[in-house]
């Protein structure tokens, strides 16, 4: 009997699980998402899984793309993009929002829609708004398709630095001084908002960091040494997000720690340290991805410091109701205490990214890490849980 004549449930049992890797997106982190997707596609075990790469262009079109990780790498200091990989300039991929069907359909103008088959799990490697912030996760919940990583609430909290810090504070996690300037406040009275920022600087000192509230990969962040640089820094942050944060400089060492969900709950990786980057003002986007500034894994910490940062990383994971994975970023201040800066619910997965490097040091290799995340997503239901 051919597989075409078998009942669907039996056929599904015989076939390999199908993983849709969704990448690109509408945020300013589009390029690094494509690079991350290339690394993930390269790592997925094709003897265990079928793979469907789906790229989202900067204007929001879901495109069928080439399964070609080599074309997804940074070349000549330039980021790749989905338009370079799309199989058509007009065709679009559609995921059903009927939870009884996980069918993916490809459409082109003037052509009959083409069924691409069902998807068993989505591996989203989108960074920033319209992907990492709960929007894609909400779509997948409506569609009844399992997915890697945090759910709607945790994704939204993990993307918005204001509410992330509010959650941390409510759970007793140590947070550095900050203030938030919302869009209506700035639009209504920018002079008053500036005065509030300079008052914050008078209390906590210069320099300040001005950063978009809902962006990542250090995009849009400016270190401001005095009031003369404030307006340009605010303009740069608001270019990425109308809401922005102001943070004081925390003097100390930058420490990162990965969290991964196992069958018995979340565990923390060996931590890493980001040393001072001499060619850059701070550990910004170019230092991370273009110049490939490297962290130290494992971080040179005492056993007590390692245990403490691991404990805090898992607490942050639990506080935000995360699932799957998180990278938690800390400062080890001059007085010997840890202050949490932020978490990333979909941390970078490029070959040079800190999250996979920390787990490699902890005994979980890259391919094993990707497989564990897919298996965890397949075993986790959508909906309330």
């Amino acid at each position: 009997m051919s597989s075409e004549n078998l009942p669907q449930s039996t056929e599904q049992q015989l076939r390999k699980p199908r993983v849709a890797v969704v990448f690109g997106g509408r945020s300013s982190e589009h390029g690094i998402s494509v690079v991350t997707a290339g690394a993930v596609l390269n790592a997925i075990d094709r003897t265990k899984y079928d793979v469907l790469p789906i790229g989202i262009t900067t204007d929001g079109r879901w495109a069928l793309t080439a399964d070609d990780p080599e074309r997804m790498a940074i070349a000549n200091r330039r980021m790749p993009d989905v338009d370079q990989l799309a199989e058509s300039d007009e065709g679009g991929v559609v995921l059903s929002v009927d939870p009884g069907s996980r069918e993916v359909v490809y459409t082109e103008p003037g052509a009959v829609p083409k069924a691409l088959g069902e998807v068993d799990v989505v591996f989203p490697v989108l960074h920033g708004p319209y992907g990492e912030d709960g929007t894609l996760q909400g779509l997948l919940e409506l569609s009844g398709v399992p997915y890697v990583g945090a759910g709607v609430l945790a994704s939204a909290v993990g993307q918005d630095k204001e509410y992330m810090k509010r959650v941390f504070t409510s759970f007793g996690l140590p947070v550095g001084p900050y203030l938030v300037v919302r869009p209506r406040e700035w639009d209504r009275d920018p002079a008053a908002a500036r005065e509030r920022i300079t008052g914050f600087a008078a209390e906590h000192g210069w320099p300040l960091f001005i950063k978009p509230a809902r962006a990542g990969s250090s995009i849009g962040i400016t270190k401001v040494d005095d009031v003369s640089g404030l307006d340009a820094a605010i303009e740069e942050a608001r270019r990425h997000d109308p809401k922005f944060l102001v943070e004081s400089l925390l003097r100390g060492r930058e420490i990162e720690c990965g969290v991964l969900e196992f069958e018995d709950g979340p565990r923390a990786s060996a931590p890493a340290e980001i040393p001072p980057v001499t060619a850059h003002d701070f550990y910004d986007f170019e230092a991370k991805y273009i110049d490939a500034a490297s962290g130290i894994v494992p971080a040179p910490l005492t056993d007590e410091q390692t245990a403490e940062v691991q404990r805090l990383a898992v607490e942050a994971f639990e506080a935000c109701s995360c699932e799957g994975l998180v990278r938690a970023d800390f400062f080890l201040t001059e007085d010997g205490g840890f202050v949490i800066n932020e978490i990333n619910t979909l941390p970078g997965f490029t070959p040079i990214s800190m999250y996979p490097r920390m787990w490699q040091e902890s005994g979980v290799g890259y391919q094993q890490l990707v497989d564990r995340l897919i298996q965890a997503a397949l075993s986790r239901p959508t909906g309330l849980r």
Side-chain angles (χ1 to χ4, degrees):
M1 179 183 290
S2 71
S3 61
E4 293 179 350
N5 297 322
L6 291 172
Q8 186 179 31
S9 59
T10 306
E11 184 178 351
Q12 287 176 332
Q13 290 174 6
L14 294 176
R15 69 175 175 82
K16 292 182 287 188
R18 197 164 196 221
V19 182
V21 178
V22 180
F23 61 96
R26 295 163 57 187
S27 83
S28 52
E29 296 174 80
H30 178 99
I32 197 59
S33 172
V34 178
V35 176
T36 298
V40 170
L41 286 168
N42 217 22
I44 292 177
D45 185 351
R46 304 307 175 97
T47 66
K48 291 180 64 174
Y49 307 104
D50 287 327
V51 177
L52 177 66
I54 299 174
I56 302 177
T57 64
T58 53
D59 61 3
R61 179 173 64 93
W62 288 43
L64 194 61
T65 65
D67 183 3
D68 189 354
E70 290 187 5
R71 292 173 57 198
M72 299 181 179
I74 299 170
N76 299 319
R77 299 177 68 86
R78 294 180 63 86
M79 287 287 175
D81 64 65
V82 169
D83 282 326
Q84 298 170 350
L85 302 160
E87 295 191 354
S88 165
D89 292 336
E90 296 181 305
V93 174
V94 178
L95 177 66
S96 171
V97 292
D98 176 4
S101 169
R102 297 176 179 176
E103 189 81 17
V104 176
V105 175
Y106 180 71
T107 63
E108 283 194 276
V112 175
K114 176 184 176 183
L116 299 179
E118 291 195 341
V119 166
D120 296 291
V121 63
V122 168
F123 199 131
V125 291
L126 295 152
H127 301 307
Y130 311 109
E132 190 180 355
D133 58 351
T135 49
L136 176 66
Q137 290 75 13
L139 171 64
L140 296 173
E141 292 285 353
L142 289 172
S143 302
V145 179
Y147 53 93
V148 168
V152 175
L153 175 65
S155 297
V157 170
Q159 184 65 37
D160 191 312
K161 293 177 176 62
E162 175 191 359
Y163 289 98
M164 182 198 310
K165 290 177 186 291
R166 290 183 182 274
V167 169
F168 290 158
T169 301
S170 71
F171 276 81
L173 290 161
V175 173
Y178 72 98
L179 65 81
V180 180
V181 179
R182 296 190 177 91
R184 280 195 294 271
E185 177 187 0
W186 182 260
D187 294 339
R188 183 174 61 246
D189 194 343
R194 281 193 204 92
E195 186 176 346
R196 195 158 71 90
I197 295 169
T198 54
F200 178 86
E203 179 180 359
H204 298 287
W206 300 90
L208 302 177
F209 287 91
I210 311 296
K211 56 177 64 176
R214 294 160 292 193
S217 298
S218 298
I219 289 175
I221 299 177
T222 306
K223 182 182 177 185
V224 182
D225 293 315
D226 54 50
V227 71
S228 66
L230 192 57
D231 283 354
I234 292 170
E235 183 178 346
E236 172 62 13
R238 283 175 52 82
R239 194 164 65 85
H240 301 278
D241 187 344
K243 180 168 78 168
F244 64 93
L245 265 69
V246 181
E247 295 178 353
S248 63
L249 173 67
L250 291 174
R251 301 187 185 279
R253 299 160 62 187
E254 291 189 51
I255 306 295
E256 297 183 349
C257 190
V259 180
L260 180 63
E261 196 167 11
F262 287 76
E263 290 79 7
D264 59 351
R267 301 180 198 170
S269 71
E273 179 170 4
I274 308 301
V277 185
T278 55
H280 298 263
D281 211 17
F282 61 99
Y283 192 49
D284 61 7
F285 180 85
E286 287 215 353
K288 288 179 181 178
Y289 298 112
I290 303 300
D291 294 333
S294 184
I296 302 168
V297 186
L301 300 172
T302 66
D303 291 345
E304 292 76 12
Q305 288 171 331
T306 295
E308 177 65 3
V309 76
Q310 289 174 327
R311 180 186 70 81
L312 291 170
V314 171
E315 283 195 11
F317 182 96
E318 298 281 33
C320 295
S321 298
C322 294
E323 295 168 296
L325 72 165
V326 150
R327 194 194 73 231
D329 300 344
F330 298 86
F331 291 100
L332 176 55
T333 61
E334 293 176 338
D335 65 4
F338 285 100
V339 173
I340 187 164
N341 184 36
E342 64 181 42
I343 60 169
N344 279 267
T345 56
L346 284 174
F349 248 84
T350 70
I352 62 170
S353 294
M354 298 308 300
Y355 185 85
R357 286 186 59 201
M358 288 187 286
W359 279 108
Q360 178 76 46
E361 178 67 25
S362 306
V364 182
Y366 195 100
Q367 189 173 39
Q368 184 184 356
L369 181 61
V370 169
D371 185 71
R372 174 167 285 280
L373 290 168
I374 292 171
Q375 288 297 320
L378 284 167
S379 67
R380 191 168 55 235
T382 55
L384 299 177
R385 53 190 183 274

